[in-house]
Amino acid sequence: MKTWITGTLAAALLSQGALASNLPDGPQDATLRTSSGEEVRLSRWRGKPVILFYEDKDSTKLNAGLKEELFARGKERNLLGAATVVAVANLMKFDFFPARQIALSYVRDEEKKVGVPILVDLKGAMGEAPWTLPLKTSNVLLLDAQGVLVYRHSGKMKPEEQTAFFESLSKLVGVDLTTPVAAPAAPGATP
C-alpha cells in the first residue's frame, strides 16, 4: 500500500487498456466511503479531469512507475492541480469484523503518509456495472471533467500503454504530457 499514491497526487480492451471507443457512454459514478466511513460519490470531483487508481492490497506496486512518472511530469510542468487524483482501495475481502477496522486503520495511516485521501470500496461497487473493473489488480482510469470515462487499463502497464495514458491525459488538461521528465544534468557538466 505504501506506493498506492507515490508522490501524490486514475468490455473489449486493447492489451487490457481501452480508449474512448470501447468505454461506456455518459458520465460514470459510484458510491464509496472515506476511511472514516463517510459515504462519498465519485461525481464529487467533477469539474476537472480525474485520474483514478483502483487497487487491492496485492496490486499497489504494479503501476508504481506510472504514479511516480505522473507526479514528476505534473510537477515539472506545474500541472499538479490540473487534474484530481483519486485513490480507491478495494477492501472487499476485509469487510468483516475485526479485519475491516484493521484495514481501515491501515488506510488512514497511508493517508497521513501521503497527504491524500484514499477512498475505500468495501462492497465491490467498482466491480459492478457500469465499471466492471477486475477486483484483484491495479486499475487506472481517466475521466473527463464531466465524469465520462475516456481511458481505462487493468493490470501492469507496458510502455506503449503508458504512452496511450499520457496522450489521453494530455488531451484532458490541454498540455503535452507525452514527453518524459528531463533528466537532471550531471554535476560539473557544461550545457
Side-chain angles (χ1 to χ4, degrees):
M1 278 192 191
K2 289 185 180 179
T3 59
W4 214 316
I5 315 173
T6 303
T8 331
L9 282 174
L13 302 175
L14 296 167
S15 261
Q16 296 185 2
L19 297 176
S21 62
N22 297 343
L23 300 173
D25 292 331
Q28 305 300 306
D29 205 358
T31 301
L32 302 165
R33 295 197 174 275
T34 65
S35 62
S36 61
E38 175 189 346
E39 218 173 69
V40 177
R41 297 193 58 81
L42 286 178
S43 56
R44 172 182 181 175
W45 287 277
R46 289 193 185 147
K48 62 177 154 179
V50 171
I51 305 157
L52 188 142
F53 292 97
Y54 180 77
E55 299 168 322
D56 71 345
K57 76 172 191 65
D58 297 322
S59 63
T60 60
K61 294 181 182 179
L62 286 179
N63 288 308
L66 170 71
K67 295 170 192 175
E68 291 167 0
E69 188 63 23
L70 175 63
F71 178 73
R73 291 183 195 192
K75 185 175 180 182
E76 179 185 64
R77 293 163 175 90
N78 199 26
L79 291 172
L80 293 180
T84 301
V85 175
V86 176
V88 182
N90 172 7
L91 297 183
M92 211 168 81
K93 67 182 176 181
F94 301 105
D95 192 20
F96 63 93
F97 181 83
R100 177 179 33 258
Q101 293 309 316
I102 295 167
L104 290 172
S105 176
Y106 189 83
V107 169
R108 284 190 288 272
D109 289 346
E110 288 300 307
E111 288 175 317
K112 289 175 188 171
K113 287 178 194 172
V114 297
V116 171
I118 300 172
L119 301 180
V120 297
D121 185 2
L122 291 164
K123 303 295 182 192
M126 299 299 286
E128 298 172 359
W131 301 96
T132 61
L133 297 177
L135 300 176
K136 296 182 179 182
T137 193
S138 174
N139 294 275
V140 180
L141 297 91
L142 288 175
L143 292 89
D144 69 12
Q146 291 75 43
V148 175
L149 190 58
V150 297
Y151 180 88
R152 166 184 163 164
H153 178 83
S154 297
K156 182 172 175 62
M157 283 188 172
K158 297 176 183 170
E160 61 271 16
E161 293 160 340
Q162 284 193 22
T163 298
F165 168 83
F166 281 112
E167 287 171 354
S168 295
L169 182 57
S170 294
K171 291 175 186 172
L172 292 178
V173 298
V175 175
D176 183 8
L177 291 165
T178 59
T179 309
V181 172
T190 56

